[in-house]
Amino acid sequence: MRSSYRTLDRATLRDILLVCVADAVVGASFGAIAVAGGLAPWVPIVMSVLVFAGGAQFAAVGIVLAGGSPMAAVLAGLVLNARLLPFGFAVADVLDDRRRGWTRLPGAHLITDETVAFALRHTDPALRRAAFRVCGVGLFVIWNLSVAVGALAGTGLGDPAALGLDAAFPAVLLALVLPALRDRDTRNAALLGAAVALACTPFLPAGLPVLFALVGLTPYLRASRPTAKPTSTDSTREPS
């Protein structure tokens, strides 16, 4: 880890530090709101260690606190984390350390938006690996410490609804997705999904409408399908 730290330039280390600070604030908020909402302090702490995915954690806990079933919460988390599969292919060379094969599993656990972004900054294999490791380990430590601090502080917050904390989870999730909404196709898919979720809300248990919002991806998936190349047919052949 120390050699990886020395490999990186100051600008990369500074940016990693800033990301860690930002995640510390979000992690503390997650722990505090989860406990203030009625969960035991160990729940957000253990979830952060095992899941280590902020968006998925917010979605899952938000569904549970809204009265949704644990299965709906798990499905929502899996849907959000599905993006990590192609991320794994993008940084496969970083995880494939033949000298230390045992590092692949913990390395895969550190795959996040931030670690992949810093790894892809570089083309040199050593720099890619160093950026991924420093960012991943730093975020993992900071995130879990901040969640624990927030969870302990959350025991004294009282009624979350009285403090307006019941709206914190939707607000954080909205903040996480806002940058992606600059793309028109993504924005249209999100709006269609939101409309479907709102239409389903009066008729379905809490947690399920957000899963039905995946219908909004249907037009986008159809539009992204590659068109088949025209093939020669008898009707288009020139007469001999």
Side-chain angles (χ1 to χ4, degrees):
M1 179 67 181
R2 183 175 300 177
S3 60
S4 298
Y5 182 85
R6 292 176 177 176
T7 303
L8 297 175
D9 58 277
R10 290 185 178 181
T12 300
L13 292 174
R14 179 200 61 205
D15 292 344
I16 291 175
L17 178 60
L18 292 175
V19 169
C20 288
V21 172
D23 271 31
V25 176
V26 178
S29 302
F30 170 76
I33 299 168
V35 173
L39 297 178
W42 64 268
V43 174
I45 294 175
V46 172
M47 179 184 289
S48 296
V49 174
L50 298 180
V51 179
F52 187 49
Q57 291 177 224
F58 271 102
V61 172
I63 288 174
V64 171
L65 294 184
S69 67
M71 183 58 67
V74 171
L75 288 175
L78 288 175
V79 169
L80 286 174
N81 276 353
R83 73 189 188 283
L84 299 181
L85 179 60
F87 284 3
F89 290 113
V91 294
D93 61 306
V94 174
L95 304 179
D96 188 17
D97 190 345
R98 297 179 179 179
R99 296 173 300 174
R100 302 173 182 175
W102 61 270
T103 62
R104 293 180 184 176
L105 183 58
H109 191 54
L110 297 180
I111 293 178
T112 63
D113 303 84
E114 296 89 348
T115 56
V116 172
F118 279 108
L120 295 181
R121 268 189 176 187
H122 307 281
T123 57
D124 180 74
L127 290 177
R128 284 165 60 88
R129 188 173 291 110
F132 180 87
R133 289 177 177 175
V134 172
C135 182
V137 173
L139 282 178
F140 185 81
V141 173
I142 292 297
W143 176 261
N144 284 282
L145 287 177
S146 62
V147 169
V149 171
L152 295 176
T155 56
L157 289 180
D159 182 12
L163 298 175
L165 295 179
D166 53 329
F169 279 112
V172 171
L173 289 176
L174 180 61
L176 290 173
V177 304
L178 276 178
L181 296 181
R182 295 174 182 174
D183 179 72
R184 189 176 69 174
D185 289 334
T186 303
R187 184 168 60 251
N188 292 339
L191 290 174
L192 178 58
V196 172
L198 286 175
C200 294
T201 298
F203 310 103
L204 296 175
L208 291 183
V210 68
L211 299 179
F212 277 86
L214 293 174
V215 174
L217 294 175
T218 305
Y220 177 75
L221 293 176
R222 289 181 177 178
S224 62
R225 287 182 181 177
T227 56
K229 294 182 179 180
T231 57
S232 298
T233 61
D234 294 337
S235 61
T236 59
R237 290 178 183 171
E238 295 182 1
S240 56

